[in-house]
């Protein structure tokens, strides 16, 4: 079943051009997005006062990655909830809310309990899952299957990128009635079919990421700074590194750097800064300058062609990725970090597909 691959995680990382193709199949129709599971509910969603994403782990991170685009296209405030925290707080949920539950398995206990809670409060409940017939798919009012194919590795990889693409398509469908964003929507719809090829291009960085992993394998810790569309990339990259490579890693909002994390910077601690081209590019360039001034050990992820200008003097390592529209860039940017986590795990001698103490589906609280 693993074919030419040593591990399911490796297979699933390399499968992403295909899984993204099946996620989009039949859903892009000349200048519009058609999500069969949502089309009768779009009106209700457009009239909701708030959209709340609920999930755990990687599924939460996928929603976080797509949130800025959904806010932009819908004009509706979008809140983020980790399922356990929503339950701990019994946070307010109203009839006028749309609650979107994201879960690869559709069986995560905290997410399902949060669903029960939102249903009893009268919210419209939408599911985004990879599993047809799952409890989540059955108990939500409506939803979208991500159709990424069965995911076996405990660390979620291909489901993450498919979740981002589905939520992005959901944003395009919700925003379809707005004239002001029409040209922006059309340009994204036109570039979505190219995404699998761009993913294929990044996957060619496998050897480069293995070399990077060799240079990092003895480290105690790894920080990842992102912001805007790629704040989620920082969180998800760090989650991959900690859950499979068993190395301490933290994803951080670069905008918070001066409020604490800067104290950690020295010549030893490796720091990945995500600085691909988008509205946050100039802020990220100044973050890089400040880290370099403190002799931080930097690894910069930038858009193709930007390496020389971003890191003149050559003191940092570079991960150059292809440029895609800002809302799709998280799909590209996570892939080198998935590869890095994979190679770190193999080099450090840990179990890739069954990380210590973790389960694929956490069905108890
Ligand atoms: C559906 C069919 C697909 C077929 C296509 C043809 C299924 C599972 N999907 O895909 O095989 O090729 O029509 O038009 O038979 N749902 C929830 N909660 C969730 C996820 C989904 O309630 O968490 C519901 C949806 O609202 C929808 C149904 O399940 O009613 C199927 O969802 P989805 O597979 O995403 O719909 P289509 O893409 O239209
Ligand atoms: C577990 C998995 O913790 O559950 C993670 O190990 C996953 O990979 C999380 O992100 C949430 O799972 P699901 O199925 O609800 O997306």
């Amino acid at each position: 079943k693993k074919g030419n691959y040593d591990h399911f995680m490796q297979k699933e990382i390399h499968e992403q051009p295909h899984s993204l193709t099946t996620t989009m199949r039949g859903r892009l129709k000349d200048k519009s997005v058609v999500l069969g599971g949502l089309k009768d509910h779009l009106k209700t969603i457009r009239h909701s006062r708030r959209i709340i994403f609920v999930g755990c782990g990687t599924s939460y991170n996928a929603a976080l990655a797509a949130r800025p685009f959904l806010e932009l296209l819908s004009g509706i405030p979008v809140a983020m909830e980790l399922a356990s925290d929503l339950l701990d707080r019994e946070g307010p949920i109203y009839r006028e809310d749309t609650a979107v539950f994201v879960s690869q398995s559709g069986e995560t206990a905290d997410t399902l309990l949060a669903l029960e809670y939102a249903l009893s409060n009268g919210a419209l409940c939408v599911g985004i899952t990879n599993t047809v017939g799952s409890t989540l798919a059955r108990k939500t009012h409506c939803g979208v299957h991500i159709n990424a194919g069965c995911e076996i590795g405990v660390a979620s990889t291909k489901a993450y990128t498919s979740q981002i693409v589905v939520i992005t398509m959901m944003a395009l469908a919700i925003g379809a009635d707005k004239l002001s964003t029409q040209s922006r929507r059309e340009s994204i719809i036109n570039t979505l079919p190219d995404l699998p090829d761009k993913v294929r291009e990044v996957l060619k960085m496998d050897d480069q990421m293995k070399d990077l992993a060799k240079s990092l394998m003895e480290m105690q810790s790894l920080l990842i700074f992102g912001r805007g569309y790629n704040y989620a990339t920082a969180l998800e990259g760090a989650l991959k590194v900690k859950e499979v490579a068993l190395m301490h890693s933290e994803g951080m909002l670069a905008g918070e750097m001066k409020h604490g994390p800067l104290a950690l910077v020295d010549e030893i601690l490796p720091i990945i800064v995500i600085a691909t081209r988008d509205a946050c590019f100039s802020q990220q360039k100044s973050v890089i300058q400040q880290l370099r001034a403190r002799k931080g050990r930097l690894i910069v992820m930038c858009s193709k062609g930007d390496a020389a200008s971003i890191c003149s003097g050559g003191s940092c390592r570079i991960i150059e990725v292809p440029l895609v529209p800002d809302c799709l860039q998280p799909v590209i940017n996570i892939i080198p970090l998935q590869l890095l986590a994979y190679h770190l795990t193999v080099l450090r001698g840990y179990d890739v597909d069954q990380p210590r103490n973790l389960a694929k589906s956490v069905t108890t609280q």
Side-chain angles (χ1 to χ4, degrees):
K1 272 219 229 144
K2 279 181 278 197
N4 297 325
Y5 296 102
D6 296 328
H7 303 97
F8 283 109
M9 181 187 181
Q10 185 190 28
K11 173 175 175 271
E12 287 157 5
I13 292 172
H14 288 274
E15 229 166 55
Q16 290 176 103
H18 176 69
S19 51
L20 290 168
T21 303
T22 57
T23 294
M24 291 186 277
R25 182 167 296 149
R27 289 169 165 174
L28 300 177
K29 292 182 184 146
D30 46 49
K31 294 190 182 175
S32 68
V33 165
V34 178
L35 296 170
L38 286 192
K39 62 179 189 323
D40 297 338
H41 302 267
L42 287 174
K43 245 192 183 154
T44 317
I45 299 174
R46 283 177 194 140
H47 286 113
S48 50
R49 289 238 308 254
R50 176 172 67 151
I51 297 171
I52 311 167
F53 278 114
V54 185
C56 305
T58 291
S59 293
Y60 174 91
N61 291 342
L64 187 67
R67 173 206 206 180
F69 192 58
L70 179 60
E71 282 179 334
L72 183 76
L73 291 198
S74 69
I76 302 169
V78 180
M80 296 298 309
E81 292 284 358
L82 286 161
S84 65
D85 189 45
L86 177 65
L87 293 165
D88 289 346
R89 290 174 8 251
E90 298 190 35
I93 294 196
Y94 303 106
R95 295 180 62 79
E96 298 79 11
D97 290 328
T98 294
V100 183
F101 297 83
V102 187
S103 171
Q104 188 285 130
S105 62
E107 302 297 347
T108 299
D110 285 332
T111 306
L112 293 177
L113 283 165
L115 168 61
E116 294 293 341
Y117 174 70
L119 285 169
S120 67
N121 282 278
L124 175 72
C125 292
V126 179
I128 294 181
T129 183
N130 199 23
T131 317
V132 177
S134 59
T135 310
L136 185 74
R138 287 185 282 107
K139 292 200 171 167
T140 41
H141 295 120
C142 60
V144 188
H145 291 112
I146 66 169
N147 300 338
C150 184
E151 190 181 66
I152 293 169
V154 168
S156 180
T157 52
K158 65 174 181 172
Y160 179 71
T161 48
S162 284
Q163 286 165 338
I164 296 175
V165 166
V166 160
I167 301 169
T168 301
M169 290 195 293
M170 186 174 111
L172 290 162
I174 294 171
D177 63 334
K178 287 204 170 60
L179 215 57
S180 57
T181 51
Q182 187 176 354
S183 64
R184 171 127 164 111
R185 285 196 315 274
E186 286 180 4
S187 85
I188 305 298
I189 294 170
N190 288 336
T191 49
L192 271 169
D194 303 334
L195 197 59
D197 276 340
K198 299 282 184 188
V199 168
R200 226 167 255 127
E201 199 180 321
V202 209
L203 286 167
K204 289 185 188 147
M205 299 171 71
D206 197 24
D207 286 340
Q208 188 195 333
M209 299 317 294
K210 189 174 179 179
D211 285 345
L212 182 61
K214 279 180 192 153
S215 74
L216 298 177
M217 64 181 281
E218 311 281 358
M219 292 295 122
Q220 297 276 328
S221 182
L222 171 68
L223 300 189
I224 309 181
F225 282 140
R227 70 200 306 154
Y229 283 103
N230 287 290
Y231 172 38
T233 310
L235 296 188
E236 175 60 10
L239 178 57
K240 288 296 87 109
V241 170
K242 81 183 90 164
E243 73 182 334
V244 281
L246 314 191
M247 180 189 284
H248 172 255
S249 184
E250 293 300 327
M252 291 174 174
L253 187 74
E256 279 286 292
M257 183 179 74
K258 289 181 185 164
H259 306 295
L262 203 51
L264 294 170
V265 178
D266 60 17
E267 290 173 34
I268 299 159
L269 175 69
I271 304 173
I272 300 180
V273 182
I274 303 168
T276 41
R277 292 253 174 181
D278 61 18
C280 299
F281 184 56
S282 66
Q283 283 106 305
Q284 283 305 72
K285 278 203 293 196
S286 90
V287 161
I288 292 166
Q289 275 167 9
Q290 292 169 45
L291 290 170
R292 287 182 81 188
R294 286 163 183 82
K295 299 201 163 46
R297 183 172 164 187
L298 293 197
I299 302 147
V300 175
M301 183 184 293
C302 64
S303 303
K304 278 223 164 100
D306 276 345
S309 64
I310 281 191
C311 255
S312 52
S315 62
C316 28
R317 285 188 83 130
I318 294 285
I319 305 171
E320 268 190 322
V321 294
L323 185 68
V324 294
D326 51 9
C327 63
L328 300 175
Q329 196 68 51
V331 173
I332 298 298
N333 291 1
I334 193 59
I335 289 171
L337 303 180
Q338 293 173 341
L339 292 168
L340 176 68
Y342 171 75
H343 288 298
L344 275 174
T345 312
V346 175
L347 289 163
R348 285 159 66 88
Y350 294 118
D351 189 334
V352 175
D353 289 326
Q354 288 294 330
R356 185 172 74 195
N357 307 336
L358 299 182
K360 179 71 180 158
S361 186
V362 183
T363 53
T364 52
Q365 257 198 310

